[in-house]
C-alpha cells in the first residue's frame, strides 16, 4: 500500500507511553478537520504543522485512524504558529510577547536565523544565560527531529527509532556510522539483519571487519539459541557465516580478534559465546561443590526404619525401587529422580519429605517451613501443582531466588538461600543460565534432589542440564520405569510409553476410556475442536483451568493464532468490553499467557491467567487486569505486547503444566516440528482425557523421529 502524507498540527495527546513513545494523538489538519493519528512519536509541539507519513486504517471501535511511519516539521509554518511554538512549554523563559517580537522582526525563518547566529537574541533583551538556554533547547528539538528523519531514511521507524534516540541522544547518527552493529547489543529488537541493512545505507563495505565480526557473533548466537546448543564446531561456524554473508573468505583473523577480546571462547574445535561457556563452567563447578560427602555421617539404618514407619502411617507399600530412591535421596548430598508419568515420582517425593522431617525433628506444618525446605519448579503452574499434591508451599525457582523488579536476584553465591533441603521438580525445563543461578545460590550444606522426566523436551534456552547431569554418572540417579498399579489402566500413559520407547504402531492407536483418537480431514478439525470443547464445558469442565489445545506452530488454519481467535469467538460470551493492541483483541474473561518475564509484577514467561477487568483510567486510558492464580497484574495498552490468548498454546509453553483435558491436532502442516520428544511431552500434559484429531499416521511418524542431539559439554566437565 502506498503511503500518504497528512499535514496537521497537534491538538492533544490522548495517550503517550513514556517508555516506548507509542502515542494516540488528535490532530488538526490545514482545513481544521480533526483526525486521530497512532504510532510511535515523541511529545511534539502543539503549535507547529508537521508532515505525517503513513496510511489510513479502520479501527473496530475508534473508526478511521492515520497510522504513522515517520514525520517531519513542515517546511511552511504560519507566523502565528511560530509565536505559539516559541512561547510553548518546550522553551523556558519566553512568553507570547517576546515570541511575537522575535517573529515580527525575523519572520518565518526565525528559528533558522537563531540557530545560525544565537547572538541575534541580544536584540530582544536576552542576556548570555537566556540566550544559551533557548539556543540549546532549540538545537535539541531540531536535532531530535533531524535524527528521526535520518533514522526513517534508514528504514528504522516507530518504536525502534525512539529506542535508538532515547539510548544515544544527540550521538545517535555518530554511533550508527561508527558501528551500526553495536545496535545488536544495545537495542532490543535489532538483530544482525536489520543492523546489516543500516550498515549498507551508511556505506560500510561488505567485507568491512566490523560486519564480519558481527556476522560471526550472530552465527554463533543463532546456532546455539535456535537449536539449544552451547557451542558449534568450526565447520558449522564457517557454514553459518558464509550462508549469512553470501561470500567466501578467510575467517581466522577475525575469529582470533574476537577470541582475544573474549567475545568468543575457543576450546578443542568448539566455539562458544562467552556467556554460554561461563555458565556451563559455573554449573559444573557448583554441582561439584554441592555433591560432596556429608560433614556428619548419615544414619542409613535409621532412615530405612523410618521408611517402614512412613509406610504404616500412610497406609502405603513402597516398591523396592521406591524405597531405594527415598534412601538414596536422603543419604547423598545431590541426587536425581527421573521417570515418566505413572512411575511414582510424586509418591517418592512425599515419602522423602516425611522421612526427612522425622529424621531432622522438623514439623512440616511449621510457619517457616519454606526457610527449611525449598520446593520449587521452573513455572508457576508446575509450582502450584507441586504445592497441591504435596500440601506444602512451593514457588517458582525465580521466586525462591528472590528475582526482583530490577531483574536481579537476591540470592547468589555470596548470599545463598537459607533452605537445607531443596527439591526441584520439572527440571528438564531448566536451561544452562537458570541452572547457573540456581546451583550457585544453594548453600554448601544443603541437600539437593533434582526431579524430572529426562525424556521430555529439553529447555527452550541453551543446554540440556538434566540429561547432562544424568549422563555424567557423577550424581546418584534413581531411574523409575515401572508404571504403578493406579496408572496401568491409563491409555494416555500407555500411549506415552509406546511413543517414548519408539514402539508405537497401529495396534496402539486405539481409543479408550481416557483417550480419543479420531482420523479427521484438515477442514473438519476446527469444528471438531469446537464441538469437543463445548461438550467438555457441558460436562462441567472449565475452559480456563481444565481444557487446553496444544499446537506446535503459530501460523495457518490450525495454527495457535487462528485457533485462539476461533475459541475466543465461540466460548467467551463476555464481549461488552474489549481492548485492542495491533491485531490482538482481548475481552474480559479471556484466557491469556504472559510472554516475557516481568519481575516487578512477579509474573513469568509462560504463566497463564484470565482477564478479570477491562476498564479506563480517570484520564480515559485503557487498561486491563489479569488474574494469574491470585496474583492480579495491571496492563496498560502498551503492555499488551507481552500478553497473548492461551486457549491454544505451544507444546513448549505447556511444559510443567497438567490439564484435565488436552486436545492435540495432528496435521501434515506440523511435520517439520514433529519429533518423539515433542509428542511425548504433549501427551503427558493430559491428566484425565487426551483427544487427538487429524492424521493418526503422524503419531507413528513423530514417535520414530528423534530431535537432533544438542551440543553441550556439561557432561564432559562433570566427568573431569
Amino acid at each position: 500500500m502506498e503511503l500518504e502524507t497528512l499535514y496537521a498540527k497537534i491538538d492533544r495527546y490522548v495517550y503517550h507511553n513514556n517508555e516506548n513513545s507509542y502515542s494516540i494523538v488528535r490532530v488538526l489538519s490545514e482545513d481544521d478537520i480533526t483526525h486521530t493519528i497512532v504510532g510511535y512519536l515523541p511529545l511534539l509541539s502543539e503549535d507547529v504543522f508537521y508532515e505525517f507519513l503513513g496510511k489510513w486504517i479502520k479501527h473496530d471501535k475508534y473508526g478511521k485512524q492515520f497510522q504513522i511511519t515517520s514525520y517531519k516539521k513542515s517546511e511552511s509554518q504560519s507566523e502565528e504558529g511560530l509565536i505559539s511554538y516559541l512561547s510553548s512549554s518546550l522553551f523556558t523563559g519566553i512568553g507570547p510577547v517576546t515570541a511575537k517580537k522575535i517573529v515580527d522582526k525575523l519572520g518565518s525563518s526565525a528559528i533558522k536565523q537563531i540557530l545560525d547566529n544565537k547572538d541575534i537574541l541580544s536584540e530582544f533583551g536576552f542576556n548570555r544565560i537566556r540566550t544559551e538556554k533557548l539556543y540549546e533547547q532549540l538545537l535539541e528539538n531540531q536535532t531530535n527531529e533531524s535524527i528521526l528523519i535520518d533514522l526513517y531514511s534508514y528504514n528504522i521507524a516507530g518504536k525502534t527509532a525512539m529506542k535508538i534516540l532515547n539510548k544515544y541522544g544527540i550521538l545517535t547518527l555518530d554511533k550508527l556510522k561508527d558501528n551500526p552493529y553495536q545496535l545488536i547489543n544495545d537495542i532490543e529488537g535489532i538483530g544482525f539483519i536489520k543492523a546489516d541493512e543500516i550498515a549498507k545505507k551508511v556505506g560500510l563495505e561488505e567485507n568491512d571487519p566490523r560486519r564480519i565480526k558481527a556476522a560471526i557473533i550472530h552465527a554463533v548466537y543463532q546456532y546455539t539459541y535456535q537449536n539449544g546448543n552451547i557451542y558449534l564446531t568450526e565447520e558449522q561456524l564457517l557454514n553459518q557465516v558464509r550462508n549469512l554473508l553470501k561470500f567466501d573468505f578467510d575467517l581466522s583473523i577475525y575469529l582470533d580478534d574476537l577470541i582475544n577480546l573474549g567475545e568468543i571462547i575457543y576450546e578443542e574445535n568448539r566455539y562458544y559465546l562467552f556467556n554460554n561457556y561461563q555458565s556451563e563452567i559455573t554449573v559444573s563447578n557448583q554441582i561439584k561443590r554441592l555433591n560432596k560427602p556429608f560433614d556428619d555421617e548419615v544414619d542409613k539404618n535409621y532412615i530405612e526404619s523410618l521408611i517402614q514407619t512412613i509406610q504404616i502411617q500412610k497406609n502405603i507399600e513402597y516398591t523396592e525401587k521406591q524405597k531405594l530412591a527415598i534412601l538414596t535421596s536422603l543419604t547423598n548430598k545431590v541426587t536425581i529422580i527421573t521417570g515418566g508419568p505413572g512411575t511414582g515420582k510424586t509418591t517418592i517425593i512425599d515419602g522423602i519429605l516425611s522421612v526427612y522431617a522425622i529424621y531432622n525433628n522438623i514439623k512440616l506444618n511449621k510457619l517457616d517451613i519454606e526457610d527449611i525446605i525449598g520446593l520449587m519448579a521452573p513455572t508457576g503452574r508446575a509450582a502450584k501443582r507441586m504445592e497441591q499434591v504435596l500440601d506444602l508451599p512451593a514457588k517458582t525457582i525465580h521466586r525462591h531466588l528472590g528475582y526482583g523488579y530490577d531483574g536481579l536476584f537476591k540470592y547468589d553465591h555470596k548470599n545463598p538461600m537459607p533452605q537445607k533441603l531443596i527439591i526441584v521438580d520439572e527440571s528438564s525445563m531448566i536451561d544452562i543460565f537458570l541452572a547457573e543461578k540456581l546451583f550457585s545460590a544453594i548453600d554448601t550444606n544443603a541437600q539437593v534432589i533434582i526431579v524430572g522426566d529426562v525424556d521430555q523436551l529439553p529447555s527452550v534456552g541453551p543446554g540440556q542440564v538434566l540429561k547432562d547431569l544424568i549422563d555424567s554418572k557423577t550424581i546418584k540417579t534413581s531411574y523409575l520405569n515401572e508404571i504403578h498399579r493406579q496408572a496401568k489402566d491409563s491409555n494416555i500413559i500407555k500411549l506415552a510409553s509406546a511413543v517414548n520407547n519408539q514402539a508405537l504402531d497401529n495396534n496402539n492407536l486405539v481409543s479408550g476410556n481416557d483417550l480419543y483418537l479420531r482420523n479427521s480431514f484438515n477442514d473438519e478439525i476446527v469444528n471438531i475442536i469446537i464441538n469437543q470443547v463445548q461438550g467438555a464445558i457441558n460436562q462441567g469442565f472449565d475452559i480456563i483451568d481444565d481444557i487446553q489445545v496444544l499446537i506446535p506452530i503459530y501460523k495457518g488454519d490450525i495454527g495457535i493464532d487462528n485457533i485462539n481467535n476461533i475459541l475466543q469467538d465461540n466460548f467467551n460470551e463476555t464481549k461488552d468490553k474489549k481492548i485492542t493492541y495491533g491485531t490482538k483483541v482481548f475481552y474480559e474473561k479471556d484466557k491469556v499467557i504472559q510472554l516475557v518475564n516481568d519481575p516487578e509484577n512477579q509474573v513469568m514467561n509462560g504463566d497463564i491467567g484470565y482477564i478479570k477487568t477491562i476498564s479506563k483510567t480517570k484520564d480515559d486510558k485503557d487498561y486491563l487486569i489479569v488474574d494469574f492464580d491470585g496474583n492480579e497484574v495491571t496492563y496498560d495498552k502498551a503492555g499488551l505486547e507481552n500478553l497473548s490468548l492461551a486457549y491454544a498454546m505451544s507444546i513448549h509453553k505447556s511444559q510443567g503444566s497438567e490439564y484435565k483435558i488436552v486436545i492435540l491436532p495432528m496435521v501434515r502442516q506440523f511435520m517439520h516440528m514433529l519429533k518423539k520428544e515433542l509428542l511425548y511431552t504433549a501427551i503427558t500434559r493430559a491428566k484425565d482425557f487426551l483427544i487427538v484429531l487429524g492424521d493418526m499416521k503422524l503419531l507413528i511418524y513423530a514417535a520414530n523421529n528423534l530431535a537432533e542431539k544438542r551440543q553441550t559439554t556439561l557432561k564432559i566437565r562433570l566427568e573431569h
Side-chain angles (χ1 to χ4, degrees):
M1 181 185 289
E2 192 171 331
L3 296 179
E4 300 178 55
T5 302
L6 173 64
Y7 295 89
K9 64 179 181 178
I10 305 296
D11 180 23
R12 67 186 175 92
Y13 278 76
V14 177
Y15 173 80
H16 177 76
N17 183 300
N18 288 324
E19 288 187 12
N20 61 21
S21 296
Y22 180 80
S23 304
I24 302 169
V25 191
R26 300 275 191 265
V27 297
L28 285 171
S29 62
E30 291 175 302
D31 48 3
D32 269 354
I33 296 174
T34 301
H35 300 286
T36 300
I37 64 172
V38 294
Y40 296 91
L41 276 177
L43 291 170
L44 300 176
S45 168
E46 296 182 0
D47 305 294
V48 177
F49 273 93
Y50 293 90
E51 297 175 16
F52 298 104
L53 189 67
K55 61 182 179 181
W56 292 102
I57 59 171
K58 182 75 181 291
H59 190 283
D60 290 344
K61 182 175 179 180
Y62 301 111
K64 192 177 181 185
Q65 297 179 334
F66 193 73
Q67 189 176 62
I68 68 158
T69 57
S70 66
Y71 78 96
K72 66 177 182 178
K73 194 181 290 170
S74 179
E75 298 282 334
S76 57
Q77 300 287 345
S78 67
E79 292 192 355
E80 292 81 4
L82 277 176
I83 292 168
S84 297
Y85 176 62
L86 286 170
S87 58
S88 72
S89 58
L90 291 171
F91 308 103
T92 54
I94 301 183
V97 174
T98 305
K100 187 174 188 308
K101 284 181 183 176
I102 293 171
V103 175
D104 283 348
K105 178 78 185 283
L106 302 180
S108 59
S109 63
I111 293 171
K112 184 177 185 306
Q113 290 183 59
I114 295 168
L115 289 171
D116 287 343
N117 178 19
K118 61 189 172 188
D119 293 333
I120 203 171
L121 289 170
S122 62
E123 297 179 27
F124 307 100
F126 279 65
N127 60 25
R128 176 58 56 190
I129 293 173
R130 284 183 71 203
T131 296
E132 284 299 326
K133 195 162 193 177
L134 176 59
Y135 175 77
E136 290 297 330
Q137 288 171 331
L138 276 172
L139 186 62
E140 182 182 359
N141 226 36
Q142 296 290 107
T143 301
N144 284 352
E145 288 185 12
S146 173
I147 289 169
L148 284 170
I149 290 166
D150 279 338
L151 290 178
Y152 296 145
S153 73
Y154 296 146
N155 199 25
I156 306 171
K159 182 179 179 181
T160 306
M162 289 308 304
K163 277 185 182 177
I164 295 171
L165 182 58
N166 291 338
K167 173 73 177 176
Y168 298 137
I170 199 169
L171 298 174
T172 294
L173 298 179
D174 291 336
K175 289 280 187 182
L176 257 63
K177 287 169 183 171
D178 179 54
N179 185 6
Y181 299 100
Q182 186 61 35
L183 291 170
I184 300 169
N185 297 328
D186 292 348
I187 308 296
E188 185 184 352
I190 290 192
F192 177 83
I193 304 301
K194 189 68 181 177
D196 205 37
E197 187 181 302
I198 297 165
K200 288 174 186 171
K201 292 191 175 181
V202 299
L204 259 67
E205 298 292 332
E206 69 169 15
N207 61 350
D208 188 290
R210 289 167 290 184
R211 179 173 189 248
I212 294 169
K213 287 177 186 176
I216 292 170
I217 295 286
H218 176 72
V220 181
Y221 181 91
Q222 191 175 43
Y223 193 85
T224 54
Y225 279 76
Q226 282 187 353
N227 302 302
N229 297 316
I230 296 294
Y231 69 87
L232 40 59
T233 65
E234 184 171 7
E235 183 182 2
Q236 289 166 340
L237 177 57
L238 291 174
N239 289 336
Q240 288 285 113
V241 176
R242 284 167 182 160
N243 288 338
L244 194 62
L245 297 181
K246 309 298 184 193
F247 67 92
D248 205 359
F249 57 94
D250 183 6
L251 275 185
S252 58
I253 185 172
Y254 308 105
L255 264 174
D256 287 346
D257 280 351
L258 290 170
I259 290 166
N260 289 333
L261 289 168
E263 294 186 54
I264 297 285
I265 305 295
Y266 176 74
E267 181 184 82
E268 297 181 15
N269 192 37
R270 299 186 296 263
Y271 292 87
Y272 302 77
L273 288 176
F274 174 80
N275 286 346
N276 293 11
Y277 180 82
Q278 199 61 46
S279 292
E280 199 178 67
I281 293 268
T282 302
V283 170
S284 173
N285 290 340
Q286 295 301 328
I287 291 289
K288 289 173 183 176
R289 171 181 66 87
L290 295 167
N291 194 24
K292 296 279 177 67
F294 285 101
D295 291 338
D296 300 318
E297 191 175 343
V298 179
D299 191 336
K300 184 176 176 182
N301 293 331
Y302 182 35
I303 288 176
E304 286 178 329
S305 70
L306 288 177
I307 293 171
Q308 300 300 328
T309 302
I310 294 301
Q311 285 188 122
I312 296 167
Q313 285 182 0
K314 293 181 178 291
N315 192 24
I316 189 173
E317 188 174 339
Y318 297 124
T319 65
E320 290 305 313
K321 190 167 279 191
Q322 287 177 320
K323 288 178 190 174
L324 182 60
I326 296 171
L327 181 65
T328 302
S329 298
L330 290 171
T331 53
N332 290 275
K333 288 287 297 300
V334 182
T335 52
I336 296 170
I337 300 170
T338 184
T343 57
K345 294 193 297 294
T346 303
T347 302
I348 290 169
I349 296 171
D350 181 62
I352 289 168
L353 290 167
S354 299
V355 173
Y356 182 86
I358 299 173
Y359 186 89
N360 291 282
N361 197 24
I362 296 166
K363 292 189 183 303
L364 291 175
N365 59 0
K366 282 182 64 171
L367 289 176
D368 63 346
I369 193 65
E370 281 184 276
D371 293 333
I372 302 167
I373 298 173
L375 302 181
M376 58 188 74
T379 67
R381 278 288 173 110
K384 184 181 177 183
R385 184 157 55 90
M386 200 179 186
E387 184 168 292
Q388 287 170 341
V389 297
L390 296 171
D391 197 27
L392 282 170
K395 294 178 183 174
T396 63
I397 295 171
H398 280 83
R399 288 198 68 183
H400 266 294
L401 289 170
Y403 191 45
Y405 69 90
D406 53 3
L408 301 176
F409 293 88
K410 176 182 177 182
Y411 296 109
D412 56 23
H413 66 288
K414 293 179 181 176
N415 180 33
M417 294 184 288
Q419 293 87 1
K420 297 306 174 189
L421 175 65
I422 305 278
I423 301 179
V424 189
D425 200 7
E426 296 289 352
S427 55
S428 62
M429 298 176 66
I430 299 174
D431 66 22
I432 198 69
F433 305 122
L434 184 55
E436 177 187 16
K437 298 293 184 190
L438 172 61
F439 294 123
S440 297
I442 295 175
D443 188 273
T444 299
N445 295 316
Q447 277 181 269
V448 184
I449 301 169
I450 302 163
V451 184
D453 185 349
V454 74
D455 295 316
Q456 279 189 31
L457 285 167
S459 56
V460 175
Q464 48 181 13
V465 175
L466 178 61
K467 185 176 189 310
D468 284 345
L469 293 178
I470 292 171
D471 289 350
S472 73
K473 301 193 186 309
T474 59
I475 299 172
K476 295 281 187 181
T477 301
S478 298
Y479 299 89
L480 308 177
N481 45 32
E482 180 185 347
I483 297 174
H484 290 280
R485 186 176 62 252
Q486 62 270 32
K488 278 184 176 174
D489 293 333
S490 168
N491 291 287
I492 297 171
I493 290 176
K494 287 176 185 174
L495 180 65
S497 180
V499 168
N500 197 34
N501 294 320
Q502 294 184 275
L504 189 66
D505 57 29
N506 288 320
N507 296 325
N508 304 109
L509 299 180
V510 180
S511 297
N513 59 332
D514 57 353
L515 176 64
Y516 178 51
L517 306 173
R518 174 163 174 175
N519 275 296
S520 321
F521 293 111
N522 283 20
D523 55 4
E524 301 175 311
I525 288 176
V526 171
N527 285 331
I528 297 172
I529 291 173
I530 293 169
N531 292 335
Q532 291 292 334
V533 172
Q534 186 62 64
I537 291 171
N538 293 344
Q539 291 180 41
F541 291 98
D542 182 72
I543 196 166
I544 304 293
D545 293 324
D546 301 333
I547 307 166
Q548 188 61 57
V549 181
L550 297 181
I551 299 173
I553 66 173
Y554 283 86
K555 302 303 178 189
D557 292 343
I558 311 175
I560 293 167
D561 294 338
N562 191 47
I563 297 299
N564 263 324
N565 292 334
I566 289 167
L567 293 177
Q568 179 194 53
D569 188 50
N570 279 271
F571 296 106
N572 189 338
E573 298 175 358
T574 314
K575 294 193 172 70
D576 297 335
K577 296 178 182 177
K578 73 174 180 180
I579 187 170
T580 60
Y581 181 82
T583 59
K584 298 178 181 180
V585 181
F586 298 104
Y587 301 103
E588 285 186 347
K589 308 303 180 193
D590 265 335
K591 182 177 183 177
V592 291
I593 184 170
Q594 173 75 10
L595 301 176
V596 297
N597 287 345
D598 179 0
E600 185 172 357
N601 290 303
Q602 289 296 317
V603 58
M604 307 302 288
N605 182 2
D607 283 354
I608 305 290
Y610 75 94
I611 297 175
K612 188 173 182 180
T613 305
I614 293 178
S615 191
K616 288 183 179 290
T617 61
K618 289 179 181 177
D619 51 352
D620 203 39
K621 293 178 181 176
D622 291 318
Y623 74 92
L624 57 78
I625 297 173
V626 179
D627 186 325
F628 293 100
D629 291 325
N631 176 26
E632 295 186 2
V633 178
T634 301
Y635 293 78
D636 62 13
K637 191 144 187 170
L640 297 181
E641 68 177 340
N642 300 326
L643 213 59
S644 188
L645 293 175
Y647 301 102
M649 73 166 77
S650 72
I651 296 163
H652 279 91
K653 292 277 189 191
S654 75
Q655 268 189 282
S657 298
E658 254 187 4
Y659 309 94
K660 289 182 180 178
I661 300 174
V662 166
I663 301 174
L664 182 63
M666 295 292 290
V667 298
R668 291 192 170 271
Q669 182 187 351
F670 304 161
M671 277 189 74
H672 67 288
M673 292 286 291
L674 295 180
K675 310 286 185 198
K676 184 198 88 168
E677 296 83 355
L678 187 86
L679 178 59
Y680 175 74
T681 302
I683 292 168
T684 54
R685 298 311 91 208
K687 185 179 178 185
D688 296 338
F689 299 100
L690 173 65
I691 299 164
V692 186
L693 309 170
D695 186 349
M696 295 305 115
K697 292 176 186 171
L698 291 175
L699 291 173
I700 298 173
Y701 167 80
N704 290 287
N705 190 21
L706 296 175
E708 284 185 24
K709 188 180 176 186
R710 290 193 169 187
Q711 294 176 188
T712 66
T713 36
L714 178 59
K715 171 180 174 285
I716 296 169
R717 300 188 195 288
L718 288 165
E719 288 171 340
H720 298 91

